Amino acid sequence: MEIDNPVSSGGAMDVDQSVSSSGAVQTGGSAGTAPAPVSSAAGAAAAAAASVTVGGGENAAELKFGQDFEDIHILSNAQVAVILQVSAKSAGNRDEELNEVYRKTQKYVERFNTMTNPEKEHQELVDELDNLQDALTTFRKETDDGREMELHGSEVAALMNLVATDTMVEEAVALIPSLSRFPEAAIDEILDLIRSTMIRIVS
């Protein structure tokens, strides 16, 4: 399925999207830059939370994904919501109507977005989300045998989507089975990063 433009009038938008059947999304900005491909938050969360083999040797619980998930930047629902809000505002300023796919996507991410606060400044929210993603992406834990463990991009997005301020280690592993490779203390550190950010956002 191709989405060349999120508006029905065919005018240029800030975000052009190409959505594959796997849920991967290619975004391209209008500011002259070409951001890396990103997966849809819905597809990323579903892939990360699933524990069954889905075909072609893919298994989210073992962090085995298909070619559509290679070399992509995965965003959380909250980050996608921010991007779509900006694009929708831009369309409104040009009196352009959002198409049905765009509206449904926006409705979905806003419904399941747990990291939002209408009283926060837009840039403040963007910075909090970006800082959290960076903290989770750069998180490292060394094992007893000297190996360095890190979070997969799908795990980062799923954690940002699924974790609440009261989520415990056991619940996080149940939601995202691949986290079981980490020691419980490391998972608790990861959850603390998310809790802190969520508290700052909603307070």
Side-chain angles (χ1 to χ4, degrees):
M1 175 177 64
E2 292 289 332
I3 305 177
D4 296 323
N5 198 301
V7 293
S8 60
S9 62
M13 284 294 294
D14 292 334
V15 179
D16 292 328
Q17 299 177 318
S18 299
V19 183
S20 73
S21 59
S22 69
V25 179
Q26 172 79 43
T27 64
S30 61
T33 59
V38 300
S39 79
S40 68
S51 60
V52 296
T53 301
V54 294
E58 300 171 14
N59 190 314
E62 299 177 1
L63 300 178
K64 295 179 180 178
F65 302 99
Q67 293 183 347
D68 287 334
F69 279 88
E70 292 181 2
D71 301 320
I72 61 172
H73 184 61
I74 303 175
L75 300 180
S76 67
N77 286 334
Q79 291 170 304
V80 174
V82 169
I83 292 172
L84 297 186
Q85 287 167 6
V86 172
S87 296
K89 183 177 180 180
S90 177
N93 291 339
R94 295 192 296 271
D95 294 325
E96 295 174 336
E97 183 180 350
L98 300 174
N99 67 33
E100 183 179 1
V101 174
Y102 193 96
R103 291 197 305 270
K104 286 184 176 180
T105 304
Q106 187 174 30
K107 183 178 180 180
Y108 175 89
V109 294
E110 288 180 350
R111 177 182 178 186
F112 294 102
N113 178 12
T114 59
M115 297 189 184
T116 184
N117 184 343
E119 296 182 3
K120 291 283 186 182
E121 293 290 336
H122 170 78
Q123 191 57 51
E124 184 179 0
L125 181 59
V126 170
D127 290 343
E128 286 284 8
L129 294 173
D130 286 348
N131 289 340
L132 174 58
Q133 186 178 52
D134 288 344
L136 294 173
T137 301
T138 58
F139 179 85
R140 299 289 185 273
K141 181 59 62 174
E142 188 172 322
T143 63
D144 293 336
D145 58 3
R147 291 184 300 110
E148 193 173 61
M149 302 176 67
E150 61 184 353
L151 290 167
H152 187 275
S154 67
E155 293 174 311
V156 172
L159 282 162
M160 293 177 69
N161 288 344
L162 302 173
V163 169
T165 53
D166 59 350
T167 300
M168 305 302 291
V169 171
E170 296 79 7
E171 186 179 1
V173 173
L175 291 169
I176 311 169
S178 57
L179 293 178
S180 61
R181 71 189 189 282
F182 285 93
E184 286 193 9
I187 299 175
D188 204 37
E189 285 183 50
I190 293 168
L191 295 179
D192 278 340
L193 290 172
I194 301 171
R195 293 186 193 110
S196 299
T197 299
M198 294 186 74
I199 291 172
R200 286 196 301 271
I201 287 176
V202 303
S203 61

